[in-house]
Structures are given as structure tokens and as C-alpha cells.
Amino acid sequence: MDTHQQGFAKLVTMIDAIEVGMLTTADEAGHMRSRPMATQRAEDGCLWFFTSRDSPKVEEIRKDCQVNVSYSDPANQIFVSVSGLARTLRDEARIRELWTGQAQRWFPEGPEDPRIALLSVEITAAEYWDVDACKMRALLKTNASPSELEAATEHKALS
């Protein structure tokens, strides 16, 4: 596995651990709008979510498919930002494959609920920051330099 593949593998591991990301789209006035979305799966350069077909985000994505999904786990000092191209689709086999009990709360009719759609985000670029919290605390106690503090953070940009 090359360095790029390792970076994407780590990105997927981080996203899987955080589970809920903030999906940002542009509304009809051009304002950025974010909402929490439970990630169903991160794989093959793509993020998968469930959404309602009548959600405003579906129309926002139809007009401008460029989105951002950010993930944050401050307790573990892990942060992820994913840029990508979003689309919505209805693929009943894929819906059943990704279905979880948590989705049942939003779609009580189950995977056959006619309101349910898939939202996929094809990753075009991503960044993550993984701070070594123990090392960072020790450095902060010693009035470390900015370069020493930066060294305690694994930061990678992927595209």
C-alpha cells in the first residue's frame, strides 16, 4: 500500500470512528448551510448517507453538487474535512445493503420507504488532523515553539 492509499485508509478509519459529519451545501441565496448527517459507509473514495427525497439539500445539491463534509472528535483531537461532488439516487439494493436500525427512526417504513434516497459524495479532496494529545499536553507545559506543536499533529491533505 503506497502513502496515498495509506492516507485514504486512515481517513476512512477516522470517519468510521466519528460517524456523524456536518454536510455543507449552498442554499438558493448562496449561503453555506450545514446539517448533521450519519455516514452509512466510507469506501472507494465515496461517502454514503441516507436522506429524504423532499429535503431542501436535495435541491441544493441538484443546483450545485460541490459540498463539504466535516467531522470532528475534539475529545480525541481528530478532525477531518472532505470536499466532493454530491448526488442523490434511489438504488433499492444499495439502500438495503446500507440499512441500519438507526435509519429506522428517520424512515419508519424501513428500506422500502418511498421518501428515502441515497446521497453519495465522491471525494475530490480531503484533509485530516490527528493530534497526539499526550505529546501536545507535554509540549504545552514546556512552552514549546509553534514548530514543535505542529510536529505533534499529523496533518495530511489528499486529492
Side-chain angles (χ1 to χ4, degrees):
M1 187 181 295
D2 67 22
T3 306
H4 188 72
Q5 290 171 320
Q6 288 174 340
F8 268 106
K10 180 162 184 172
L11 179 79
V12 167
T13 300
M14 296 168 112
I15 290 170
D16 285 345
I18 298 172
E19 296 180 14
V20 175
M22 293 296 289
L23 172 72
T24 303
T25 58
D27 69 15
E28 61 185 42
H31 299 117
M32 303 312 290
R33 186 159 179 257
S34 300
R35 79 281 288 153
M37 298 286 291
T39 307
Q40 300 306 310
R41 187 169 296 158
E43 65 181 6
D44 302 325
C46 190
L47 303 176
W48 291 93
F49 305 91
F50 289 130
T51 190
S52 178
R53 295 172 113 172
D54 59 357
S55 168
K57 74 177 129 332
V58 172
E59 182 63 18
E60 292 167 0
I61 288 167
R62 190 187 67 72
K63 289 181 179 176
D64 182 356
C65 66
Q66 293 189 35
V67 301
N68 180 272
V69 185
S70 59
Y71 297 86
S72 176
D73 179 357
N76 292 305
Q77 293 292 296
I78 295 171
F79 307 93
V80 177
S81 177
V82 175
S83 298
L85 304 175
R87 67 185 178 109
T88 57
L89 63 146
R90 174 85 184 172
D91 178 336
E92 292 181 20
R94 186 73 164 160
I95 290 169
R96 279 190 299 282
E97 175 188 336
L98 296 174
W99 189 257
T100 65
Q102 290 184 352
Q104 191 81 30
R105 283 186 277 173
W106 297 99
F107 302 100
E109 295 178 37
E112 292 78 27
D113 190 320
R115 297 175 307 119
I116 194 170
L118 290 169
L119 189 157
S120 72
V121 176
E122 177 188 341
I123 299 171
T124 56
E127 289 185 81
Y128 66 77
W129 296 262
D130 187 359
V131 178
D132 182 332
C134 293
K135 184 185 274 186
M136 185 64 73
R137 278 193 288 277
L139 288 170
L140 289 170
K141 287 179 183 176
T142 64
N143 293 321
S145 70
S147 61
E148 290 173 304
L149 295 173
E150 192 173 306
T153 301
E154 180 184 352
H155 172 243
K156 187 170 283 286
L158 307 163
S159 59

